[in-house]
Amino acid sequence: MSNADESFRDSISTITKDGKRAWIYPKKPKGKFYDRRKWVSYLLLTILILSPFIKINGNQLFLFNVIERRFNLFGIAFWPQDFYLVVITLIIGVIFVALFTTAFGRIFCGWICPQTIFMEMVFRRIEYWIDGDRGAQIKLDKQEWNAEKWRKRLVKWAIFFLISFGIANVFLAYLIGSDVVLEFITHSPFEHLSTFIALLIFTAVFYFVFVWFREQVCVIACPYGRLQGVLLDEKSIVVAYDYKRGEKQNGRAKFKKNVNREVEGVGDCIDCAQCVHVCPTGIDIRNGTQLECVNCTACIDACDAMMEAVNLPKGLIRYASEEEISKNKKFVFTARMKGYLAVLLILCGVLTGLLFLRSDVEAKILRLPGQLYERKGEVISNVFTYKIANKTHNHYENVKMKLISPPGKLITVGKDTISILPNTQDLGTMFIEIHPKDLDGDKTDVIIEVYNNNELIDKTKTTFIGPRAF
Ligand code: SF4
Ligand code: SF4
């Protein structure tokens, strides 16, 4: 690690000594990495905003309707019956993130995380546009509430509120479906008051996060940030300060014209503090890898610009592992990474197999709780409840269940055929009647096939209870 003072570990850069919030005014980033991040953010914002409005076979691309327990991933509808698939998908997601973090540190935070993208690429850029860069923001904050300050603050808060309201609408479209949100937009809010209140609450949360809470999400609230200490090791690639080059034998030193730094034994760091001023979490990367660093690359751009200005090689702050800096070792794919990758590939294989095996229609037949059997003349009768889920976008209009084995009769209560609308399920009651001679004792396995217009769409089984004596 660097030879910097270790006292930075005893405090958080965003909290003052007397426990108050130390507001961060990051300098506007500029450079190669910032430009690349801008393009990535345009792409991700487009995907995030448009995804709820894209449909595949009538299914919204992504839907997380917790209330109705309906989930769509990549246009595939998952039902509560498919919950094991959602769990496997989530586990794959967690292992994927763990693998990436072990290999490439918090690259996710800097480039992909919606919090960073909205904060740095949307809200912060509007702030630079209205309030100006770091110096102007500090000055504006300190100045009295005159006309200029009121105008700038009101314009900024109004724009931030509108964007938060827009994000809340998109968020709602992921939760209750874009069709429902679009329909609600065309009606008075009082017709759907509970949804409108939920929308206002989401808006208030987003507004609070992006206007006030900001980097505190990454520093103190994000659980993923807390995992860094476990996942990172000295082989992980992170945004790192090359302290060997930056400090050399006699430490960092301000830039002076006509001074030979080699002869003086000072490092390439000219102690300009640009990497600190540009940091959105207010840390000094020269103190080494820290939990607060979201790998946003702003300090890389800032330092490269300084190095260029004083004619020194770029890359004093760069993507590098601790091992690369201390021992000049290049990146290696470690045994831990190979282990994560192997588990990831196995789970992806299992998920693909299960997705192929998953049926479009799923029938579940359960005996009515508390009921045993009933004699009806020569036959034994059991009463069941059935649930047939139609996970497709087709309307199954003429669904019938047939008892395949043992021989007997299946009677659905109240209807001859069943009609099931797309992405819905039908629930009902039915009787099965079997002659005692066809039973295997007190418990007999019963096989039932489900047909739509004589086309087999599912097969299921249940247990039939009969008297012990037979
Ligand atoms: S230390 Fe650098 S990479 Fe880390 S958050 Fe600050 S500016 Fe971004
Ligand atoms: S920007 Fe580079 S040169 Fe300036 S203080 Fe940071 S590490 Fe040193």
Side-chain angles (χ1 to χ4, degrees):
M1 303 305 285
S2 75
N3 58 9
D5 175 14
E6 292 284 311
S7 65
F8 73 94
R9 296 205 186 277
D10 303 331
S11 58
I12 296 180
S13 53
T14 51
I15 309 283
T16 61
K17 280 203 175 86
D18 48 0
K20 294 207 178 96
R21 171 84 175 271
W23 196 259
I24 306 283
Y25 304 91
K27 194 171 177 327
K28 190 175 177 185
K30 210 165 45 180
K32 184 176 78 180
F33 280 99
Y34 188 59
D35 288 343
R36 287 178 192 167
R37 280 176 61 223
K38 272 199 258 181
W39 284 109
V40 172
S41 74
Y42 297 149
L43 177 73
L44 292 178
L45 283 170
T46 309
I47 294 173
L48 186 92
I49 293 165
L50 292 186
S51 282
F53 302 95
I54 297 172
K55 294 196 173 172
I56 297 177
N57 294 329
N59 287 331
Q60 192 169 309
L61 194 60
F62 293 103
L63 176 74
F64 306 95
N65 193 332
V66 184
I67 299 159
E68 290 176 16
R69 293 187 293 164
R70 283 172 51 212
F71 303 91
N72 294 356
L73 292 178
F74 300 102
I76 302 170
F78 291 88
W79 285 67
Q81 293 94 321
D82 301 320
F83 194 66
Y84 62 100
L85 294 174
V86 178
V87 171
I88 294 175
T89 310
L90 290 177
I91 293 173
I92 288 175
V94 170
I95 295 178
F96 183 74
V97 170
L99 173 68
F100 247 81
T101 311
T102 308
F104 303 112
R106 283 179 89 165
I107 200 163
F108 169 84
C109 303
W111 292 79
I112 299 168
C113 175
Q115 161 70 21
T116 310
I117 288 187
F118 276 115
M119 187 65 246
E120 302 306 324
M121 296 297 168
V122 179
F123 289 88
R124 191 89 73 192
R125 288 176 72 189
I126 292 168
E127 196 161 73
Y128 289 133
W129 173 60
I130 296 171
D131 291 353
D133 208 344
R134 176 182 156 84
Q137 286 184 21
I138 296 174
K139 189 171 159 243
L140 188 69
D141 243 10
K142 284 189 180 151
Q143 85 184 36
E144 58 174 30
W145 282 91
N146 58 12
E148 185 208 5
K149 188 164 174 173
W150 272 114
R151 181 177 48 79
K152 286 188 172 174
R153 285 286 184 266
L154 289 177
V155 169
K156 188 170 82 173
W157 290 337
I159 294 175
F160 281 6
F161 178 82
L162 287 177
I163 296 173
S164 301
F165 186 70
I167 300 171
N169 272 279
V170 173
F171 186 64
L172 207 60
Y174 278 100
L175 290 183
I176 61 171
S178 54
D179 291 343
V180 183
V181 171
L182 289 176
E183 195 201 318
F184 285 6
I185 287 172
T186 56
H187 290 84
S188 156
F190 298 104
E191 286 179 37
H192 311 281
L193 197 58
S194 55
T195 311
F196 186 63
I197 290 171
L199 183 68
L200 292 181
I201 292 171
F202 291 146
T203 305
V205 170
F206 288 125
Y207 187 80
F208 167 76
V209 165
F210 294 116
V211 172
W212 192 79
F213 205 49
R214 300 192 157 194
E215 75 290 337
Q216 298 299 302
V217 173
C218 316
V219 175
I220 60 174
C222 175
Y224 175 62
R226 305 270 123 192
L227 277 176
Q228 303 310 305
V230 187
L231 295 172
L232 294 185
D233 61 20
E234 53 183 17
K235 293 178 175 63
S236 308
I237 300 223
V238 290
V239 172
Y241 166 66
D242 186 343
Y243 53 88
K244 282 204 152 180
R245 192 189 130 193
E247 311 285 324
K248 297 214 173 124
Q249 310 91 289
N250 296 328
R252 58 190 78 143
K254 295 273 182 210
F255 179 75
K256 286 187 196 135
K257 268 190 181 169
N258 306 323
V259 169
N260 188 328
R261 298 178 78 87
E262 288 286 335
V263 174
E264 298 284 316
V266 292
D268 281 357
C269 174
I270 57 168
D271 211 8
C272 61
Q274 289 306 302
C275 52
V276 183
H277 291 161
V278 86
C279 179
T281 60
I283 58 168
D284 186 343
I285 191 67
R286 293 172 300 169
N287 289 329
T289 302
Q290 292 149 74
L291 189 144
E292 297 93 322
C293 174
V294 291
N295 275 221
C296 73
T297 69
C299 54
I300 300 183
D301 280 335
C303 189
D304 278 352
M306 292 318 295
M307 291 293 105
E308 203 172 5
V310 296
N311 232 350
L312 286 167
K314 289 181 186 176
L316 180 57
I317 301 176
R318 63 180 184 274
Y319 276 120
S321 68
E322 168 62 21
E323 238 181 34
E324 184 190 327
I325 291 170
S326 61
K327 299 177 192 153
N328 212 10
K329 272 193 186 175
K330 287 288 163 204
F331 174 74
V332 279
F333 205 61
T334 62
R336 180 150 74 129
M337 293 175 202
K338 284 177 192 161
Y340 280 136
L341 188 63
V343 175
L344 190 67
L345 290 176
I346 291 168
L347 282 173
C348 284
V350 170
L351 182 67
T352 313
L354 289 173
L355 281 174
F356 273 111
L357 290 175
R358 175 180 173 269
S359 59
D360 284 344
V361 176
E362 195 169 321
K364 277 230 174 322
I365 296 171
L366 298 169
R367 244 191 7 269
L368 207 62
Q371 299 282 319
L372 284 174
Y373 63 88
E374 190 188 339
R375 284 177 194 276
K376 285 187 182 168
E378 289 197 336
V379 293
I380 305 291
S381 170
N382 277 195
V383 60
F384 296 87
T385 57
Y386 70 83
K387 191 191 279 182
I388 307 174
N390 175 6
K391 303 176 194 172
T392 69
H393 217 68
N394 305 321
H395 181 183
Y396 288 110
E397 294 174 67
N398 195 16
V399 177
K400 258 190 172 172
M401 284 180 281
K402 287 185 188 167
L403 180 63
I404 301 303
S405 93
K409 214 167 150 189
L410 187 153
I411 308 147
T412 40
V413 176
K415 42 194 163 190
D416 268 352
T417 57
I418 302 161
S419 166
I420 318 173
L421 290 168
N423 285 315
T424 60
Q425 57 184 359
D426 187 75
L427 312 168
T429 311
M430 64 185 219
F431 291 97
I432 292 179
E433 294 173 356
I434 300 173
H435 196 281
K437 73 174 169 48
D438 294 317
L439 295 178
D440 300 333
D442 59 338
K443 274 187 187 165
T444 305
D445 281 345
V446 169
I447 295 174
I448 293 152
E449 287 182 345
V450 185
Y451 289 83
N452 180 50
N453 291 329
N454 295 323
E455 181 202 343
L456 180 67
I457 51 175
D458 196 25
K459 191 174 182 175
T460 184
K461 65 180 189 179
T462 185
T463 310
F464 189 93
I465 299 284
R468 268 179 206 276
F470 288 96

